[in-house]
Structures are given as C-alpha cells and as structure tokens.
Amino acid sequence: MGFIVISESLHLKNFVLLQISQGRRRTRAFTVDEPQIRRVVIMSSGLKIIEEQQKPIQKLQIYPTANAGVSPFWREKYERDAKKYWDIFYKHHGDRFFKDRHYLDKEWNSYFSVSGKSVILEVGCGAGNTIFPLIATYPDIFVYACDFSPRAVELVKAHDEYTETRVCAFACDLTGDCLDKHISPSSVDIVTMIFVLSAVSPEKMASVLQNIKKVLKPNGCILFRDYAVGDLAQERFSGKDQKISENFYVRGDGTRAFYFSNEFLETLFSEQGFEVEELDVCCKQVENRSRELVMNRRWVQATFRRSHGNQNPCDSLSPAKLDKSEQQDSIQSKSEEQERKEIIDNTDIDISDGLAMEMFGASPSSHEMTVVKLRDSDFKIKLLSKEYQHTCKSTGLMLWESARLMASVLDRNPNIVSGKRVLELGCGCTGICSMVAARSANLVVATDADTKALTLLTENITMNLQSSLLGKLKTGVLEWGNKEHIECIKGLACEGFEVIIGTDVTYVAEAIIPLFETAKELILRKMGDLEVQEKPALILCHVFRRVDEPSLLSAASKFGFKLADRWAANSKESPIGNIIDSWFSEKDLVAEIPSSALHILYFQME
C-alpha cells in the first residue's frame, strides 16, 4: 500500500491523499492540528509525517505595530505633565469646546433647590460650563470652583458672570494639593464631578476622593457624571498605541480618559466612605445624517453620599430615600436595567461640535499649517499639529529637518533634477522636495507606504503647485520590497529614474536592506541598448540615529551602490568628490542649514 500526495494546503494544514491498496483507489483527507508546517514523505509501508519547522516570511514593519500600548517613559510623562497638557488644551479651545451644562437642574434639581444657602464645590471646573448655568438657576448657592489648569481658572474669572460674591475659583491639583487650604473643612454641601475623575490616573482616584471628603459635610453628596466602558470614544482607541492601562487611554493631545464600569465606581467610592444613592449607565445615539454616521455615546451618572457612622443619612439636602436594603435592591435592578436601556432622545449629553467632529474622526484641531520659506517662493504645508505628534506612530505626518535642507538644495540647484525623472522615497505628507523638483524635472513621483500621509500630500500639492505643474508630479503607494508596488512605480517612469531622493528614511535598521533593494529596482541603468551617459544618483539626506554610516555603506554595496560623495554640516573631513560641495557655493544657503547633525550621502551604481 502506498500514498500519493494529490494536493496540500499549508495554510489549512489539510493533506488530500490518494491511497492505493490492492488495486483500489480512494481519497483520504488528513488534517494536521499542530501549528507547525509539516512535510509529507511517501513510503511503501505507509504515511510518515516529519515535522519541519519553517520560519514564515515576516512583513517588514517600518512603523511600530499597533496595540503595543504606551511605553513606561510616556506613561510617566503624561502623569508628570498632565497639568501642561490641559493648559495647552484650554489655550487652543478656550471656552468653546464644551457646551454649558443646562441639564443639571433637570437631573439633580432636588439637590440644588433646597431652602437656605448651599455651598457647592465644582471639581475640574474647566471654563465654567457647570458653574454659570448653576448660579443663573439657583440664586442661593455659592460655588467654589477648582481646576488644575491655571489657564482654565483664568477663563472662569474672565467670564462676564463671574463675581466673587457667588464664585471663588482657584487652581488646585486634587492628587497632591489639599483642598482644605482653600475651603473650610466639612463646609461643602454638594460636590459636582462632571467628566473630571476620568482625567485622573486610577491609582490616584482614591486620594482625590479623600481630599474631597475633607471639605464635604457629613452626609454631603457627590453628583457624578463621566465616561462609561463601551463608549464610542473608547472604541476608537482600539487598534491604536494609546492604552495606558485597563480602560485608561491617552488622547492625541496628551490629555487622558478613563472609562468606568458600575462595579469599579461602586467599589472605589464605598472603600472611601461613600454610599451609593444612584448609579446608572446612560446611552444615546448621536447621528450625523449628512455623513450617514452614528455615534453610540455611553456615560455613567451617579449620586454618592458621604457616610456618617450609624446616623440616618437623610438630611435637608437629600430627596426621599429608600430603606438601605431596599435601596441596594433598587440600585442593583436599576443598574442592570440601565445597562440594557437606551435613554430617550431628549437626554442631554456633554458633547460640543468640536468633540463630535473628533469622535467622527474629522477633528479640525489635529492639523496645523507651517510655512517653508525658500529663496524665491514659500510653501504652505499642512501637517500634524505638534500637540498630536507625540502619540502619532506615523513619522510621515511631520516635517523633518532633512526635508527642509534638501528642498533648499534643490531650490538653489535645479540642475540636480533638471530634465530628469525623479523619485522620492518616503516623501511623507509634506512632499516639499518633490514639489520643488517638479519645477525643473520632467517627471516626479512622490511615494510613501503611509496612505494617510499620501492623502494629506495631495492637499499640499494642490495648495502649492501651479496648475501647469500638477501633471508632472504624481503620487503613489510604495512599500519597500513590495514587488507589486515596485512594478507599478516603475511603469510610471519608462523603466527607471535618474535621481532618487530620500530624506530621513534611514532610521529603522530593518528597513535599510529593503530600501536599497527597492532603489536598485527603480534606478535607471540602461536606455534601450545604450548605457546611460550621466550616472543616475541615489541621494540620502538624514540625521544618523539608530543606523550608522558603515551599516548604510555595507547595505548599499550589496545592491551595487557605491558612495560617490558625502557631506556633513560643520564637518572638516575632505569630501570624496566635488559634487555636494558645489551645491553649497552660496553662503546664505549654508546659513539656512537647520541642524548641525545633518548628513548627505550621494550614491551611484557601480
């Protein structure tokens, strides 16, 4: 008896065999459950499977993989600089980001409308979106307002309705500063915490509650609203490297957000000496009909009361309450019910137009304009705002010093690309070198593996280039080493480019070999049967980071590239050739060099 392999699928690990036994044929299927790739050996005595471990081909990762989370360095930085990030937030948005919270009287009127004067503490007051609706509605309340962003406190004090007879605003970091230095102990009737505790590291939430407890009257209340687990904002973080810890994330602007579950909140507050009066999860759909998009927003709304020994927690400020055992049953059933319930459409939600745009992925504040000034022209470049760059893993959404330098070189020396076909590798969203080259080259192709960068690049090209030049500059997706991409780009330039440019594309060690491999495939070597008279060039401009020059030269030589010239800012070394030095013959160009660490390597094919 023997076996003959008819077909095999290594991905499905199934082997279809034709069994030959005593003149009869029948097909048998074997399934290999183990994850290793195996090899079938046919023997006259039967089937033998020999395990053969093979390494799958790894796809090159130029950018860090997703879901890696925030590194310890950045985690500590976000904690240390939390005040700074919120200060920047209020600098950019002022009092325009959040809506005034006019729903407070609908949700908690029974707490605010008691007879006599009441003292309120608004924690995390921001620009005053809670304070001013409250004092307008309830004339007998006095509000203490604190925020750890001094700029936010300044916005409150600058408000037209701010008066020291009704409001006292001060800067305070509740994770470290003592509230009782500003407010008398046990003097506050109600504390409002509206979308504020979520900005605090979970490890410090208990200390914040203890700080508040010092100034809260026995049986005083905390009125609470904040993000719930499963909110759209949390879902948008999936697949991004912005997770700090469980349910705790950093936004693109450096501010942070925690998403609460009922269980987490109940445990947190009860351990700090608070009783739960109300704890619901609220849901609402926010629809953008023009874009046919729907946002599912979820938030927790709760009321907590400071415990006071065995004393009956009812006082003049509280609405009618149930017996404690009945209350616990009510809280539990209400919580379970609210988890499944979608609140009616007239429920108010803290969401401004700006925040809605951010949730839909179209935040206008994530980009900024910068101007690149050259000798005879200026380029207005749209790129990722500096405040978002620290969490962005795509380096192609920024403008690097090497690109500035190379653009200036091409601007002063158009002969480098004049009448030639030019390819830019890793152009990013700015494409400044490609746009300058398009003014004198026959054809320019700007490439990058990041589609987001290419989308933004298209905007920049349209914004800066004259219509007569638009046809000369093409863009394309190019992942180094990808044969399909290489063939598509090669087809745009009649089998090759005379000049290939790369600025700051040598910072990832694993990408160096694919870089030179791709350059070799795309550089022009022959024109029909005639050798090219002027040798095509590969020009790399960069700051040496994780890959040094010997490593670059070694990789280049493997693909037939020879270093024809080198240049370094402020270097006293003698050049190999006289190519690059001639580019800097004008003294004012030397003065424009943005960094003393910049280098240029000029390669030609051997």
Side-chain angles (χ1 to χ4, degrees):
M1 179 176 67
F3 293 91
I4 300 175
V5 179
I6 300 294
S7 66
E8 65 178 12
S9 171
L10 296 181
H11 294 291
L12 299 177
K13 307 178 185 67
N14 292 333
F15 297 88
V16 182
L17 305 177
L18 181 66
Q19 180 182 359
I20 303 174
S21 176
Q22 298 178 352
R24 291 177 299 173
R25 298 186 179 190
R26 59 178 176 175
T27 302
R28 297 179 60 186
F30 292 81
T31 300
V32 181
D33 295 326
E34 291 80 7
Q36 294 88 355
I37 297 174
R38 296 171 183 263
R39 178 163 50 91
V40 177
V41 177
I42 304 160
M43 302 180 64
S44 59
S45 57
L47 175 68
K48 184 178 182 181
I49 299 178
I50 300 176
E51 183 174 318
E52 181 179 69
Q53 185 72 34
Q54 296 182 5
K55 294 183 179 179
I57 298 175
Q58 296 291 330
K59 184 178 180 180
L60 177 67
Q61 294 288 345
I62 301 298
Y63 307 114
T65 55
N67 298 319
V70 176
S71 68
F73 169 82
W74 281 104
R75 192 178 304 127
E76 293 173 8
K77 181 174 176 59
Y78 294 136
E79 178 67 29
R80 183 175 63 251
D81 295 339
K83 180 187 299 184
K84 183 187 77 171
Y85 287 122
W86 277 108
D87 246 12
I88 294 173
F89 174 89
Y90 285 108
K91 177 183 178 181
H92 288 175
H93 298 289
D95 60 358
R96 303 178 302 277
F97 198 82
F98 299 108
K99 290 181 177 180
D100 283 347
R101 291 156 180 161
H102 294 290
Y103 59 81
L104 296 172
D105 59 326
K106 300 177 186 177
E107 300 293 334
W108 289 303
N109 178 64
S110 58
Y111 292 90
F112 293 117
S113 61
V114 297
S115 59
K117 290 188 176 293
S118 300
V119 177
I120 314 296
L121 168 61
E122 162 69 348
V123 175
C125 63
N129 302 94
T130 295
I131 302 166
F132 298 110
L134 279 178
I135 64 173
T137 306
Y138 303 102
D140 293 328
I141 66 171
F142 181 87
V143 180
Y144 287 103
C146 68
D147 199 290
F148 74 162
S149 166
R151 194 178 296 272
V153 174
E154 291 172 7
L155 289 171
V156 171
K157 291 183 176 181
H159 196 282
D160 292 340
E161 298 177 25
Y162 182 84
T163 171
E164 293 184 355
T165 61
R166 303 291 310 277
V167 181
C168 175
F170 57 94
C172 182
D173 179 0
L174 293 185
T175 65
D177 302 335
C178 293
L179 270 174
D180 55 10
K181 290 183 179 180
H182 302 271
I183 307 172
S184 299
S186 302
S187 63
V188 173
D189 298 297
I190 298 172
V191 176
T192 55
M193 301 183 71
I194 313 297
F195 293 96
V196 60
L197 193 60
S198 54
V200 176
S201 172
E203 294 80 11
K204 295 186 176 181
M205 290 180 182
S207 63
V208 169
L209 295 182
Q210 284 300 315
N211 203 354
I212 292 172
K213 191 175 179 182
K214 293 177 184 178
V215 299
L216 188 62
K217 288 180 179 179
N219 298 317
C221 293
I222 294 179
L223 308 181
F224 183 93
R225 182 183 272 205
D226 221 320
Y227 301 110
V229 169
D231 181 54
L232 174 69
Q234 182 182 22
E235 293 177 359
R236 282 175 56 84
F237 284 121
S238 62
K240 300 180 180 180
D241 296 342
Q242 293 172 245
K243 185 175 182 179
I244 299 174
S245 59
E246 188 67 25
N247 294 326
F248 194 39
Y249 302 85
V250 61
R251 301 184 183 94
D253 61 1
T255 61
R256 300 171 299 173
F258 186 85
Y259 295 84
F260 294 95
S261 66
N262 284 9
E263 295 76 16
F264 181 93
L265 274 177
E266 189 169 1
T267 300
L268 174 65
F269 276 82
S270 62
E271 288 180 350
Q272 305 310 315
F274 292 88
E275 296 178 350
V276 180
E277 286 193 353
E278 177 190 20
L279 182 56
D280 296 328
V281 172
C282 304
C283 310
K284 184 173 182 178
Q285 284 191 341
V286 182
E287 184 178 1
N288 184 325
R289 294 181 179 177
S290 64
R291 299 181 62 189
E292 298 182 348
L293 295 174
V294 174
M295 295 190 300
N296 294 307
R297 303 309 311 273
R298 290 167 59 87
W299 67 94
V300 178
Q301 185 162 304
T303 305
F304 303 99
R305 186 173 295 278
R306 179 181 172 182
S307 303
H308 187 57
N310 296 322
Q311 180 178 337
N312 189 333
C314 296
D315 64 6
S316 60
L317 286 175
S318 66
K321 293 180 58 182
L322 300 172
D323 176 79
K324 186 172 182 179
S325 61
E326 294 175 345
Q327 180 188 0
Q328 293 297 331
D329 293 340
S330 174
I331 291 171
Q332 183 176 0
S333 62
K334 183 182 290 185
S335 174
E336 293 172 354
E337 178 186 355
Q338 289 296 113
E339 284 287 349
R340 299 187 299 269
K341 180 181 178 183
E342 184 170 316
I343 304 301
I344 57 177
D345 287 341
N346 61 0
T347 303
D348 289 300
I349 181 173
D350 289 75
I351 182 167
S352 68
D353 294 338
L355 183 59
M357 291 186 73
E358 181 181 354
M359 291 300 100
F360 279 119
S363 174
S365 62
S366 62
H367 295 99
E368 65 183 18
M369 300 296 294
T370 190
V371 177
V372 178
K373 294 182 177 293
L374 301 179
R375 180 175 58 180
D376 299 323
S377 58
D378 296 342
F379 288 84
K380 295 180 180 179
I381 303 297
K382 184 178 180 181
L383 42 73
L384 190 69
S385 299
K386 290 183 176 63
E387 64 183 286
Y388 288 87
Q389 291 180 4
H390 58 99
T391 54
C392 180
K393 304 305 178 184
S394 173
T395 55
L397 298 178
M398 309 168 200
L399 176 61
W400 297 92
E401 293 174 334
S402 57
R404 287 181 180 271
L405 174 62
M406 202 63 215
S408 295
V409 168
L410 294 174
D411 181 55
R412 302 296 185 91
N413 301 272
N415 59 296
I416 297 174
V417 296
S418 181
K420 299 175 183 177
R421 294 182 293 275
V422 180
L423 170 69
E424 184 175 5
L425 300 174
C427 63
C429 71
T430 68
I432 183 66
C433 295
S434 290
M435 286 192 283
V436 174
R439 298 189 300 198
S440 53
N442 277 354
L443 171 71
V444 179
V445 180
T447 65
D448 203 288
D450 186 347
T451 54
K452 289 183 179 180
L454 291 175
T455 299
L456 198 52
L457 171 63
T458 302
E459 290 187 44
N460 285 323
I461 292 173
T462 304
M463 212 174 355
N464 288 279
L465 280 193
Q466 299 175 0
S467 57
S468 60
L469 298 178
L470 293 176
K472 296 171 61 177
L473 177 51
K474 302 181 183 299
T475 63
V477 179
L478 176 58
E479 180 181 322
W480 302 338
N482 186 308
K483 300 296 184 183
E484 182 179 347
H485 291 179
I486 290 172
E487 289 302 317
C488 287
I489 299 301
K490 188 183 294 185
L492 297 175
C494 299
E495 301 303 321
F497 295 87
E498 289 128 306
V499 178
I500 299 179
I501 298 170
T503 59
D504 258 319
V505 294
T506 58
Y507 58 92
V508 177
E510 294 79 9
I512 302 305
I513 293 297
L515 166 65
F516 284 106
E517 177 187 9
T518 300
K520 179 182 178 180
E521 290 291 325
L522 293 172
I523 200 165
L524 180 65
R525 282 174 282 178
K526 287 186 177 182
M527 183 68 72
D529 296 329
L530 299 176
E531 292 290 337
V532 179
Q533 298 300 314
E534 183 180 351
K535 286 189 175 181
L538 168 63
I539 305 170
L540 300 179
C541 181
H542 49 248
V543 173
F544 285 113
R545 293 182 175 89
R546 288 169 286 181
V547 182
D548 57 18
E549 184 174 311
S551 300
L552 283 177
L553 299 183
S554 175
S557 65
K558 293 178 181 179
F559 294 94
F561 286 99
K562 179 181 179 181
L563 185 65
D565 202 2
R566 69 156 61 89
W567 174 92
N570 299 329
S571 175
K572 296 180 180 179
E573 293 184 13
S574 300
I576 298 176
N578 58 358
I579 303 172
I580 303 178
D581 268 356
S582 65
W583 298 347
F584 294 91
S585 58
E586 299 181 25
K587 293 183 179 180
D588 57 340
L589 176 56
V590 176
E592 292 178 8
I593 297 173
S595 171
S596 61
L598 283 165
H599 294 72
I600 299 177
L601 300 180
Y602 189 99
F603 294 95
Q604 292 176 330
M605 292 298 293
E606 294 181 353

